[in-house]
Amino acid sequence: MSGLSVVETEAGERPGPDDQLSWEDLATEYVADRYDEMLSNTKYVPKNRQLASTAKRLAKGQTPEEAVEAICRFVYAEMQYVPGTTGVHTTAVDAWNERKGVCQDYAHLSLLMLRSLGVPARYVSGYLHPKPDAKIDRTV
């Protein structure tokens, strides 16, 4: 059995000061409707008062962009990366209670906290190429 994937890469840039959204922009009906799926709770990213309260504290006095970075730093600082401690069915809250996990747990925890603030966020799985300078169209 073999598989084939096409990976598109592009260097992204942060939005300029005029293109950044405010908390008021994020709280609009348009954002709630357009990004409903990225704001909804799920089995793996459930609602949690304690984590929502922590997210609110971290976001206080911050722009949305600063709040996103603060939450990501918080998750990184509070969690311990330990392969094998969680599985594909581990929720963000389960990983938080253990303070251990892997990439998907860090992502789920970040999603829970960001969504609790009204910041649309989604889980994206990716692939890290073993050779950063690899040529395009080279099979690995």
Side-chain angles (χ1 to χ4, degrees):
M1 185 181 287
S2 65
L4 177 66
S5 297
V6 175
V7 179
E8 295 180 27
T9 61
E10 135 183 354
E13 293 183 20
R14 287 177 178 249
D18 294 337
D19 296 322
Q20 292 182 18
L21 297 179
S22 68
W23 290 112
E24 292 78 23
D25 296 328
L26 288 173
T28 63
E29 191 173 310
Y30 171 79
V31 170
D33 182 56
R34 172 70 174 89
Y35 299 102
D36 176 68
E37 188 175 295
M38 295 181 206
L39 291 165
S40 298
N41 298 309
T42 68
K43 179 178 178 180
Y44 301 113
V45 183
K47 186 179 282 190
N48 181 278
R49 285 188 205 150
Q50 176 196 10
L51 289 166
S53 176
T54 300
K56 191 173 182 178
R57 179 179 53 78
L58 291 167
K60 187 174 183 174
Q62 307 281 343
T63 66
E65 181 179 7
E66 293 166 339
V68 168
E69 291 182 359
I71 286 169
C72 291
R73 281 191 304 271
F74 173 81
V75 169
Y76 177 78
E78 295 295 319
M79 293 288 289
Q80 184 181 4
Y81 189 90
V82 182
T85 57
T86 59
V88 295
H89 300 293
T90 303
T91 71
V93 176
D94 293 337
W96 174 248
N97 289 338
E98 295 297 320
R99 301 295 199 279
K100 294 177 185 171
V102 293
C103 299
Q104 76 177 17
D105 304 303
Y106 284 53
H108 285 151
L109 185 53
S110 298
L111 291 175
L112 186 159
M113 296 176 79
L114 293 170
R115 290 176 181 177
S116 76
L117 296 173
V119 175
R122 67 183 175 143
Y123 185 100
V124 177
S125 180
Y127 172 75
L128 180 61
H129 197 290
K131 296 181 181 177
D133 59 345
K135 304 236 186 280
I136 293 177
D137 292 332
R138 185 97 191 225
T139 302
V140 177

